[in-house]
Amino acid sequence: MKFTINRARFIQELQTVQRAISTKTTIPILTGVKIVLTAEGLNLTGSNADISIETFLTADDEKAALTIESTGQVVLQARFFSEVIRRLPETTFTLEVLDSYQVLITSGAAEFTVNGLDAENYPHLPVIEEQNQLSLPVHVLTKLISETVFSVSQHESRPILTGVHFMLKGSDLLAVATDSHRLSQRMIPIEQAGSEFDIVIPGKSLTELARSLTDEEEEVEISIMENQVLFKTKNMYFYSRLLEGNYPDTNRLIPTSFNTEITFSVPTFLAAIERASLLSHEGRNNIVRLAIEADTVTLYGNSPEIGKVEEELIYEAVTGDPLEISFNPDYMKDALRAFGDMTITIKFISAIRPFTLEPSVGENAFIQLITPVRTN
């Protein structure tokens, strides 16, 4: 195998597959990146126990400026190989596989010889049958991930909650994440829906997927198997294992009647929460308190060690009973950032019941739910 390629373009692809490569693995060859060169172009593959990423650089990719002298395949230790490529002096480099899987890398006056491995020993990627196919615009999928994934649990005590629950029912795709203290739920209409499905994808996989998708790609196809899901774009295959088990019924957690409602502009309210949390983070208890009266709404942050903050909030409308409620400001900040620059309505039942955040305009396609903190 021998080829010459643009270094910056190659590094871009290498960075993508490295998201799937772990240094902590019981299979030594999985610390490597698999490089396969065919007449069609260059394939790079990285894999661990949870995700596998395969990218394609076609022979006619102008930015890659790929010159193919001979085809073949090899596996190279990913971290070291990546460092070598980054530090090469020229804008292009040549990679050639010699005898015994030794690899010669040249760029300008620099010349490296590194030891490779037989690519035949690299584990095969799952074969995904073309079933349960669903096609989404890339920007829709990345937005769906960013609106929900922060609510997954970080604790392995309930593994199913470390993933996002995706359900396709009829023409609606529902994504739900909860760590039992908060919940994020987003529903989007699907134009060309395949067969219905009910799966849970690890939150870490979705975070890496969102980072791997680029603006250059327009559509992503989703194919589901028994324990795997494949996200396929023109230049990338992203495989993830699915979490086993039944996701809890989160519908019953979302209240439908409320006693107090308040409408805020998200950027204004978020800025106030960030100010209040400056003090709450310094204290032992990371809590802020919101007091709603008929004509004033006040936010309090307190740290016995540092001091306290009190701010009268700007709001757009308030209805219902007076209320004092305490909550984790970090949960509130995450929820608000998911909405972006819009107006939302926060709906409360009482000081000890979970409350919801929804866009003020439009149907309830996007809901955040937060459990308050009892302070007495």
Side-chain angles (χ1 to χ4, degrees):
M1 176 169 83
K2 186 175 181 182
F3 66 88
T4 302
I5 194 166
N6 176 279
R7 194 165 61 90
R9 186 73 182 88
F10 184 83
I11 287 171
Q12 196 179 342
E13 299 301 304
L14 188 58
Q15 279 177 327
T16 299
V17 298
Q18 272 190 290
R19 299 186 198 284
I21 299 172
S22 170
T23 51
K24 301 169 187 170
T25 175
T26 53
I27 308 169
I29 201 166
L30 288 184
T31 62
V33 55
K34 181 182 176 185
I35 303 168
V36 179
L37 183 66
T38 66
E40 283 75 46
L42 190 67
N43 289 17
L44 301 182
T45 305
S47 184
N48 62 27
D50 292 324
I51 63 173
S52 301
I53 304 175
E54 184 178 5
T55 67
F56 315 105
L57 268 176
T58 57
D60 56 7
D61 185 319
E62 289 180 10
K63 290 181 184 173
L66 177 62
T67 306
I68 301 168
E69 290 192 42
S70 60
T71 58
Q73 57 182 11
V74 72
V75 175
L76 291 172
Q77 208 286 325
R79 182 172 285 184
F80 178 69
F81 176 54
S82 172
E83 291 297 329
V84 168
I85 301 300
R86 280 175 207 283
R87 286 168 170 72
L88 292 174
E90 301 292 333
T91 55
T92 64
F93 72 91
T94 300
L95 185 148
E96 181 180 5
V97 180
L98 310 173
D99 295 338
S100 305
Y101 306 108
Q102 282 204 311
V103 174
L104 177 67
I105 301 164
T106 52
S107 178
E111 190 174 287
F112 285 83
T113 305
V114 297
N115 296 325
L117 296 166
D118 184 357
E120 290 297 331
N121 296 328
Y122 196 87
H124 293 290
L125 294 182
V127 177
I128 303 267
E129 294 165 10
E130 303 291 316
Q131 65 179 46
N132 280 330
Q133 271 214 339
L134 171 68
S135 191
L136 285 177
V138 164
H139 70 92
V140 171
L141 180 60
T142 51
K143 192 165 188 289
L144 190 63
I145 293 169
S146 70
E147 289 171 340
T148 54
V149 76
F150 59 86
S151 288
V152 302
S153 174
Q154 303 303 317
H155 304 290
E156 295 291 337
S157 54
R158 289 187 70 190
I160 198 76
L161 295 187
T162 62
V164 178
H165 185 201
F166 284 87
M167 277 192 301
L168 181 65
K169 280 194 171 181
S171 59
D172 289 320
L173 178 64
L174 182 70
V176 184
T178 182
D179 60 4
S180 73
H181 299 291
R182 56 176 166 176
L183 177 144
S184 303
Q185 176 175 297
R186 180 65 151 130
M187 185 183 287
I188 57 169
I190 301 294
E191 287 180 12
Q192 294 173 313
S195 48
E196 294 187 349
F197 59 77
D198 185 327
I199 58 173
V200 183
I201 305 173
K204 288 177 182 174
S205 298
L206 291 168
T207 300
E208 294 302 345
L209 172 64
R211 289 174 181 157
S212 303
L213 292 166
T214 64
D215 295 338
E216 295 164 19
E217 292 158 330
E218 294 177 1
E219 289 282 319
V220 57
E221 282 184 9
I222 304 169
S223 302
I224 298 152
M225 290 287 284
E226 200 171 321
N227 60 355
Q228 289 275 340
V229 58
L230 168 62
F231 297 90
K232 186 163 67 171
T233 68
K234 195 172 67 175
N235 297 316
M236 181 182 71
Y237 283 10
F238 186 107
Y239 300 81
S240 170
R241 73 179 177 96
L242 297 175
L243 293 176
E244 294 177 11
N246 294 319
Y247 203 83
D249 177 14
T250 52
N251 257 344
R252 58 187 179 77
L253 302 175
I254 300 170
T256 52
S257 59
F258 305 92
N259 298 318
T260 309
E261 297 187 12
I262 186 163
T263 302
F264 286 112
S265 157
V266 168
T268 307
F269 187 42
L270 177 57
I273 295 286
E274 284 174 337
R275 286 188 287 273
S277 67
L278 287 173
L279 279 115
S280 68
H281 279 166
E282 294 296 326
R284 285 188 298 273
N285 298 322
N286 186 23
I287 297 167
V288 299
R289 182 164 54 92
L290 184 69
I292 301 171
E293 302 288 340
D295 51 1
T296 58
V297 179
T298 312
L299 187 67
Y300 301 91
N302 184 29
S303 163
E305 300 88 347
I306 305 293
K308 59 183 180 179
V309 60
E310 180 180 321
E311 181 173 348
E312 197 168 304
L313 299 181
I314 299 166
Y315 60 91
E316 302 204 357
V318 65
T319 57
D321 304 334
L323 176 75
E324 272 202 25
I325 194 164
S326 300
F327 52 84
N328 180 322
D330 294 338
Y331 291 173
M332 181 64 85
K333 285 188 288 188
D334 286 342
L336 292 172
R337 287 182 187 126
F339 287 103
D341 187 1
M342 64 166 73
T343 303
I344 59 160
T345 301
I346 309 179
K347 302 176 181 181
F348 305 90
I349 301 171
S350 71
I352 58 171
R353 295 282 300 279
F355 58 91
T356 64
L357 297 81
E358 293 179 49
S360 299
V361 180
E363 72 292 355
N364 59 351
F366 187 25
I367 296 175
Q368 300 280 344
L369 180 139
I370 298 174
T371 302
V373 178
R374 295 192 185 208
T375 52
N376 49 7

